[in-house]
Amino acid sequence: MRISEVVANSRKKSMTPMQEKVLQYLKQHHDEVFSYRDPELAKALGIKQSALGFTLWGLEHKGHIKSFKVDRLYFGWGAAIDELERQVKQFTKT
């Protein structure tokens, strides 16, 4: 397979069923952020923490969600991550 085809395929917006499930949950909790392998989120979705971690990375890579690192990496709906980043920057200014 050509390298350009591999790159194009990796950036497609298509999602796995697990990615769709996680994305739907994040849409419903658009004002919350979740850490990588978040145990509460994994439990709420009924999936393994390791699978959750890969799913969050995949969703971010495809541009469906955002992430921001504070003490650890957090993922969430774009507006939630933007607000987290804003508040962290405001807190660090003082």
Side-chain angles (χ1 to χ4, degrees):
M1 183 178 281
R2 295 178 138 190
I3 293 171
S4 60
E5 292 172 339
V6 172
V7 172
N9 288 339
S10 73
R11 298 211 177 254
K12 285 186 178 175
K13 298 293 182 183
S14 63
M15 293 185 285
T16 66
M18 188 176 299
Q19 287 175 334
E20 289 176 0
K21 182 178 183 177
V22 171
L23 187 61
Q24 185 62 33
Y25 187 90
L26 293 178
K27 282 181 184 178
Q28 293 170 350
H29 296 86
H30 58 87
D31 59 344
E32 297 180 52
V33 294
F34 302 93
S35 64
Y36 177 76
R37 298 178 80 169
D38 188 290
E40 293 177 20
L41 179 57
K43 185 177 180 180
L45 294 168
I47 60 177
K48 293 181 180 181
Q49 287 176 281
S50 58
L52 174 62
F54 284 114
T55 301
L56 290 169
W57 278 110
L59 287 170
E60 182 195 24
H61 179 73
K62 292 178 180 180
H64 294 292
I65 62 173
K66 293 173 99 177
S67 69
F68 183 71
K69 186 171 184 175
V70 183
D71 55 336
R72 64 183 75 158
L73 192 60
Y74 291 91
F75 294 88
W77 202 245
I81 294 297
D82 291 344
E83 180 61 17
L84 173 65
E85 186 174 0
R86 186 190 70 74
Q87 287 191 29
V88 166
K89 287 180 179 179
Q90 183 180 17
F91 178 76
T92 57
K93 284 183 182 179
T94 58

